[in-house]
């Protein structure tokens, strides 16, 4: 029996996605290329991380046809498994793109499956780019509709909303009609999961990987005729209400096709939670002011919103803790004057002087500070106090990374990630993605892959 054609979120999104062409989204093309470039940077930086290697070893025996590349490595898996691996890799270092209104990391759950599917079916780059833009629009609009309560309840919004973007993007890439896209979105609603409690562990990345893989799976099921309830998102027993609240449909559907969420995307200069970037920048400024007197620091006080404290007022036991730690971000900014991948790696996390300075950092709530801002005060043993406040850190919409900054980030991630991939080749291919006849040209930037069909 055909799906009931009633007015619903899934159907409205399906109509929008099915009707959209490259001409409708072309103005967002540069934003999308920046997102893909950053996606490759973060995935390449994690390519040989033990978590990626373990996931690859776990899935490889169950993979079907090896159609899709594992970014930064020589292995291939089927599109579903490759989507999972590449999504966790892109999300692993907390270095991925961020949509400020929702704190969704848009690219990992959407770019991973559209690239894997595009390579498996040898689709043109322009189709992949169009699907990515539409998928990011869907995941962020659904995120807008349930923010901030959804995340505050403990749902990991990149995972729970990312699956909708993945399903929508892959359904578009498969050329599904309106009913098929609506079904893919509805099927995704039955698979949405991920919790904030797991953020300091690799279990967080599993839910991001599942968002990518299961979003593609939802689209493939819809392609074969699977259906879903028309109001799987907004119904009284649908996704939004069972996870907390009725969605704000105006934020979800208002201005659809006229405003674009990918244009609001931001890119991180530091591999740490986005809410800690203001802490890092404030500490850089304080380091400049106190000069070489870092060994004279008596105490450090970081003031910020409830979100900052909830995410980052934690002890540091490992590298993952460090990437979501107010104390470690402050210590790196003040003591080292840097906050790159090396500063959140095991060697630095367990440096005695860094650990000692972390113990001097105290976090305090300041309800006047917006999310993403921080006020840091340093007291020296002499009694002098220095304070810096940052409301728009580097990488924010006010102070964004340039194209060249993201290119430099990718080159650095190739080096630190131990990949043999050709960084300049990836960069060139991403900027020309809409001109590629076959997206596989982008996915073969390793000396071990070039020339393979």
């Amino acid at each position: 029996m055909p799906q009931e054609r009633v007015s619903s979120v899934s159907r409205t999104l399906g109509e929008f996605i099915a009707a959209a062409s490259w001409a409708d989204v072309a103005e967002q093309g540069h934003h999308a290329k920046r997102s893909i470039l950053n996606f490759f940077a973060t995935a390449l930086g994690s390519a040989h991380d033990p978590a990626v290697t373990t996931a690859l070893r776990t899935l490889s025996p169950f993979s079907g046809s090896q159609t899709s590349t594992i970014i930064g490595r020589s292995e291939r898996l089927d599109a579903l498994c490759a989507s999972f691996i590449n999504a966790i890799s892109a999300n692993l270092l907390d270095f991925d793109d961020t949509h400020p209104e929702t704190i969704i990391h848009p690219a990992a759950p959407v770019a991973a499956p559209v690239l894997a599917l595009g390579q498996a079916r040898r689709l043109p780059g322009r189709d992949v780019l169009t699907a990515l833009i539409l998928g990011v629009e869907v995941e962020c609009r659904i995120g807008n509709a349930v923010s901030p309560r959804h995340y505050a309840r403990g749902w990991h919004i990149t995972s729970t909303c990312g699956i909708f973007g993945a399903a929508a993007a892959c359904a578009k890439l498969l050329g599904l009609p309106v009913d098929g896209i609506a079904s893919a979105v509805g099927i995704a609603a039955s698979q949405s999961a991920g919790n904030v409690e797991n953020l300091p562990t690799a279990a967080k990345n599993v839910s991001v990987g599942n968002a990518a893989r299961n979003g593609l799976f939802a689209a493939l099921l819809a392609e074969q005729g699977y259906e879903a309830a028309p109001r799987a998102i907004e119904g009284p027993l649908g996704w939004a209400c069972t996870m907390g609240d009725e969605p704000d449909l105006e934020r979800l559907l208002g201005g659809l096709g006229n405003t674009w969420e990918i244009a609001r995307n931001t890119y991180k200069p530091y591999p740490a939670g986005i809410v800690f970037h203001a802490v890092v920048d404030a500490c850089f400024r304080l380091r400049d002011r106190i000069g070489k007197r870092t060994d004279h620091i008596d105490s450090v006080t970081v003031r910020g919103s409830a979100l900052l404290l909830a995410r980052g007022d934690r002890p540091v036991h490992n590298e993952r803790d460090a990437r979501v730690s107010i104390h470690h971000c402050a210590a790196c900014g003040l003591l080292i004057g840097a906050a790159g991948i090396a500063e959140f790696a095991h060697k630095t996390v367990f440096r005695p002087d860094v650990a000692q300075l972390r113990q001097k950092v105290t976090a305090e709530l300041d309800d006047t500070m917006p999310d993403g801002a921080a006020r840091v005060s340093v007291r020296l043993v002499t009694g002098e106090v220095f304070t810096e406040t940052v409301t728009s850190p580097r990488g924010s919409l006010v102070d964004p990374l340039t194209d060249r900054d993201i290119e430099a980030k990718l080159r650095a991630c190739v080096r630190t990630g131990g990949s043999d991939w050709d960084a300049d080749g990836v960069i060139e291919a991403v900027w020309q993605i809409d001109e590629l006849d076959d997206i596989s040209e982008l996915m073969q930037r390793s000396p071990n892959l070039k020339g393979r069909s």
Side-chain angles (χ1 to χ4, degrees):
M1 180 179 296
Q3 176 177 297
E4 182 185 358
R5 296 189 176 186
V6 300
S7 177
S8 70
V9 167
S10 297
R11 185 163 186 84
T12 301
L13 292 174
E15 291 170 348
F16 165 66
I17 293 163
S21 66
W22 169 248
D24 298 314
V25 303
E27 289 186 5
Q28 311 309 316
H30 188 74
H31 293 298
K33 291 175 184 179
R34 281 165 58 85
S35 183
I36 293 173
L37 194 67
N38 192 81
F39 168 81
F40 271 96
T42 58
L44 287 163
S46 305
H48 293 277
D49 187 277
V52 174
T53 300
T54 298
L56 185 58
R57 185 171 62 246
T58 302
L59 288 178
S60 291
F62 303 99
S63 176
S65 300
Q66 297 178 353
T67 60
S68 303
T69 298
I70 304 304
I71 294 172
R73 304 181 65 120
S74 60
E75 296 95 336
R76 290 189 181 192
L77 298 177
D78 64 37
L80 287 166
C81 291
S83 296
F84 180 89
I85 299 293
N86 289 334
I88 68 168
S89 183
N91 182 246
L92 198 59
L93 291 177
D94 287 307
F95 214 1
D96 38 3
D97 56 347
T98 306
H99 178 255
E101 190 170 357
T102 59
I103 318 298
I104 288 172
H105 304 301
V110 179
V114 297
L115 288 168
L117 176 61
Q119 184 180 12
R121 302 206 176 183
R122 308 188 74 88
L123 299 175
R126 183 169 291 184
D127 290 357
V128 170
L129 202 60
T130 301
L132 175 80
I133 293 167
L134 295 170
V136 168
E137 191 69 14
V138 168
E139 69 177 326
C140 291
R141 280 179 170 269
I142 291 175
N144 287 342
V146 296
S147 290
R149 301 177 303 275
H150 183 78
Y151 190 95
R153 281 190 169 86
W155 294 110
H156 185 227
I157 196 166
T158 296
S159 305
T160 57
C161 293
I163 189 171
F164 293 110
C170 291
K172 178 65 175 179
L173 207 52
L174 291 168
L176 300 191
V178 172
D179 288 348
I181 299 170
S183 289
V185 171
I187 295 167
S190 287
Q191 303 179 86
S192 170
N195 63 75
V196 173
E197 192 68 28
N198 268 325
L199 255 61
T201 74
K204 178 259 289 190
N205 308 109
V206 169
S207 67
V208 176
N210 279 338
R213 177 178 59 184
N214 293 343
L216 171 55
F217 184 44
L220 292 170
L221 286 172
E223 184 183 36
Q224 295 300 319
Y226 258 69
E227 297 180 351
R231 303 184 67 210
I233 291 177
E234 77 279 18
L237 297 177
W239 173 83
C241 289
T242 56
M243 286 189 157
D245 298 281
E246 292 185 13
D248 184 333
L249 296 185
E250 176 57 31
R251 293 183 74 194
L252 203 165
L253 300 175
L256 189 63
N258 296 319
T259 61
W260 295 92
E261 297 303 315
I262 201 165
R264 301 184 174 106
N265 211 6
T266 66
Y267 304 92
K268 294 181 179 182
Y270 318 121
I274 192 73
V275 294
F276 309 112
H277 287 207
V279 176
V280 172
D281 282 350
C283 289
F284 284 168
R285 295 180 188 177
L286 289 165
R287 177 182 167 86
D288 289 340
R289 291 177 63 185
I290 66 177
K292 298 181 179 180
R293 295 187 290 171
T294 53
D295 58 339
H296 293 174
I297 293 175
D298 179 62
S299 64
V300 181
T301 303
V302 177
R303 297 178 177 87
S305 70
L307 178 64
L308 176 65
L309 269 63
R311 296 285 75 79
D313 190 10
R314 65 176 70 244
V316 174
H317 302 296
N318 53 50
E319 301 97 312
R320 297 184 190 283
D321 288 337
R323 290 196 286 269
V324 287
S325 164
I326 292 168
H327 310 265
H328 187 74
C329 287
C332 288
L334 290 166
L335 191 62
I336 304 174
I341 293 175
E343 283 66 48
F344 294 89
H346 184 276
K347 183 177 180 180
T348 303
V349 170
F350 290 99
R351 266 177 49 173
D353 55 345
V354 173
Q356 184 178 32
L357 185 52
R358 282 199 302 262
Q359 297 302 314
K360 297 180 180 181
V361 178
T362 301
E364 294 183 357
L365 176 65
D366 184 342
D367 287 327
T368 68
M369 300 290 287
D371 291 341
R375 180 176 293 114
V376 183
S377 297
V378 172
R379 177 181 291 276
L380 302 183
V381 293
T382 60
E384 297 171 272
V385 177
F386 301 85
T387 300
E388 289 286 347
T389 301
V390 173
T391 56
S392 299
R394 184 166 177 256
S396 66
L397 289 171
V398 175
D399 186 14
L401 296 193
T402 67
D403 293 349
R404 303 290 86 81
D405 289 334
I406 302 175
E407 289 177 359
K409 177 177 175 177
L410 187 147
R411 293 187 182 97
C413 284
V414 169
R415 292 192 297 270
T416 58
S419 172
D420 64 356
W421 274 39
D422 174 13
D424 289 335
V426 172
I427 291 168
E428 180 183 4
V430 170
W431 289 130
Q432 298 175 1
I433 189 172
D434 50 323
E435 300 173 15
L436 299 178
D437 293 330
D438 180 352
I439 196 64
S440 298
E441 296 176 46
L442 170 58
M443 304 302 289
Q444 295 174 350
R445 293 292 156 176
S446 163
N448 296 327
L449 291 176
K450 289 177 181 177
R452 282 179 55 176
S453 60

